[in-house]
């Protein structure tokens, strides 16, 4: 774990305010978005769609980290007393959340896609997650590079993970939505299998990202969170399915994840439909 004193003073103060927020000693955090003009200092960017993902990934990460540090230093020098913490994670699209199941990965229009590996929930026994898959190892390597070369101004954050239903949706495709009706028993078995890999995916990220003052950075919202909190977890599929399906098919499995850690930072498209309920009167 890096000592807090190893980071820029503004980052130290922002982390302390996040700690106060999680300890209930502060009711709010402030994040300021401001344009950073340092183009003359940056190396020429490689557009996402032009990256050689098989052979040029290391160069892509190095470029992003070096430019990220220059941008972070310029912002920190502005002296804005807010709670923004400069961070980086290697982005290569949504496929990173489930590519380790072995589906074919393709890149297009700023993101990546993985072909489903099963067509029905009855095939759940065929799922073979591989935490040593080349894509996950690229993620780990990219996080570790930022962690080791951030120079006190750029932190390697979490990348995130799919929630249980999003994971099933990824490995089965949209056939999942008819399985709610056609084969709920096997859908539950598929959910068991997919839920089991969510914490190992976060563990891999925690082994390689930046630990600072007993916590990590969740990029969505730019939040410092205690070490036992993970994030973000995407619950997009439940937003498409609706509240009743969330209650039966996602909530029990999401609670297995949060029960194995100290809580989770959730990514959702549900606002303000109140699909995700965790109490009698909660939205």
């Amino acid at each position: 774990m890096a000592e807090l004193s190893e980071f820029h003073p503004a980052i130290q103060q922002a982390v302390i305010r996040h700690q106060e927020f999680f300890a209930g000693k502060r009711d709010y955090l402030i994040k300021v978005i401001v344009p950073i003009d340092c183009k003359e200092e940056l190396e020429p960017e490689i557009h996402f769609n032009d990256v050689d993902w098989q052979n040029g990934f290391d160069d892509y990460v190095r470029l992003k980290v070096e430019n990220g540090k220059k941008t972070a230093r310029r912002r920190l020098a502005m002296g804005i007393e807010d709670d923004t913490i400069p961070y980086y994670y290697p982005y290569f699209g949504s496929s990173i959340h489930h590519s380790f199941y072995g589906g074919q990965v393709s890149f297009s229009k700023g993101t990546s896609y993985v072909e489903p590996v099963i067509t029905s929930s009855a095939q759940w026994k065929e799922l073979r997650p591989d935490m040593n898959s080349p894509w996950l190892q690229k993620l780990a390597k990219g996080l570790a590079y930022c962690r080791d070369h951030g120079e006190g101004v750029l932190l390697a954050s979490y990348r995130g993970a799919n929630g249980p239903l999003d994971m099933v949706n990824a490995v089965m495709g949209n056939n999942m939505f008819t399985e709610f009706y056609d084969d709920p028993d096997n859908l539950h078995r598929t959910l068991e299998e997919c839920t089991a890999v969510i914490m190992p995916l976060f563990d891999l990220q925690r082994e390689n990202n930046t630990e600072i003052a007993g916590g990590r950075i969740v990029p969505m919202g730019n939040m410092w969170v205690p070490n036992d909190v993970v994030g973000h977890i995407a619950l997009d599929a439940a937003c498409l399915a609706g509240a009743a399906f969330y209650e039966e098919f996602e909530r029990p499995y999401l609670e297995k994840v949060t029960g194995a850690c100290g809580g989770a930072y959730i990514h959702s498209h549900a606002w303000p439909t109140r699909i995700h309920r965790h109490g009698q009167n909660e939205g």
Side-chain angles (χ1 to χ4, degrees):
M1 178 178 69
E3 297 293 332
L4 191 58
S5 60
E6 298 177 37
F7 295 88
H8 189 282
I11 294 176
Q12 296 178 36
Q13 292 303 311
V15 168
I16 290 170
R17 289 191 290 269
H18 277 79
Q19 290 176 316
E20 293 172 349
F21 179 79
F22 275 91
K25 299 177 181 178
R26 175 181 292 270
D27 295 330
Y28 62 88
L29 295 166
I30 297 174
K31 313 281 185 175
V32 176
I33 298 175
V34 60
I36 308 296
D37 184 13
C38 58
K39 291 182 180 179
E40 70 281 0
E41 302 173 25
L42 303 182
E43 297 184 47
E45 288 282 353
I46 303 175
H47 191 276
F48 182 95
N49 293 334
D50 296 328
V51 177
D52 179 350
W53 294 102
Q54 296 290 348
N55 303 306
F57 178 76
D58 291 352
D59 290 337
Y60 178 69
V61 167
R62 182 199 61 79
L63 173 65
K64 287 292 187 180
V65 169
E66 293 307 311
N67 283 347
K69 288 186 292 188
K70 293 172 183 176
T71 303
R73 288 193 177 97
R74 179 64 68 90
R75 191 198 195 279
L76 292 165
M78 296 173 73
I80 302 171
E81 295 183 358
D82 73 334
D83 303 307
T84 299
I85 302 170
Y87 69 86
Y88 170 76
Y89 63 82
Y91 177 79
F92 38 96
S94 62
S95 70
I96 192 57
H97 295 325
H98 49 274
S99 60
F100 46 84
Y101 276 108
Q104 180 65 41
V105 177
S106 59
F107 292 83
S108 176
K109 297 181 180 179
T111 189
S112 57
Y113 309 88
V114 178
E115 294 297 322
V117 294
I118 60 175
T119 58
S120 72
S121 55
Q123 297 173 288
W124 62 272
K125 290 184 179 179
E126 298 178 20
L127 293 174
R128 297 287 186 273
D130 178 12
M131 290 296 133
N132 292 311
S133 76
W135 297 109
L136 280 190
Q137 292 307 306
K138 286 180 185 293
L139 173 64
K141 187 176 183 180
L143 289 173
Y145 182 86
C146 179
R147 178 197 65 201
D148 296 340
H149 297 84
E151 298 178 359
V153 297
L154 191 68
L155 283 67
S157 73
Y158 281 116
R159 169 62 180 97
N162 279 336
L165 275 178
D166 282 57
M167 196 76 78
V168 175
N169 192 192
V171 300
M172 192 191 306
N174 289 336
N175 290 346
M176 180 192 76
F177 293 99
T178 58
E179 298 288 76
F180 289 138
Y181 304 95
D182 295 340
D183 198 357
D185 290 342
N186 275 320
L187 183 55
H188 278 293
R189 295 184 180 97
T190 310
L191 279 160
E192 291 277 2
E193 289 295 312
C194 287
T195 301
V197 305
I198 295 174
M199 281 308 300
L201 177 55
F202 279 119
D203 289 340
L204 178 69
Q205 294 175 55
R206 287 195 280 203
E207 289 169 6
N208 292 280
N209 64 10
T210 303
E211 181 180 4
I212 177 173
R216 320 273 171 160
I217 307 302
V218 173
M220 183 163 289
N222 185 230
M223 295 290 291
W224 175 96
V225 297
N227 273 335
D228 59 349
V229 174
V230 296
H232 65 271
I233 295 179
L235 304 186
D236 297 350
C239 300
L240 294 172
F245 293 107
Y246 168 78
E247 289 293 326
E248 179 178 355
F249 292 98
E250 178 125 80
R251 179 171 177 164
Y253 302 97
L254 180 62
E255 289 179 346
K256 288 186 177 183
V257 176
T258 56
C261 58
Y265 201 89
I266 299 298
H267 161 87
S268 169
H269 290 286
W271 189 90
T273 56
R274 299 191 178 186
I275 287 174
H276 313 307
R277 296 174 62 251
H278 286 273
Q280 186 66 32
N281 299 307
E282 295 178 7

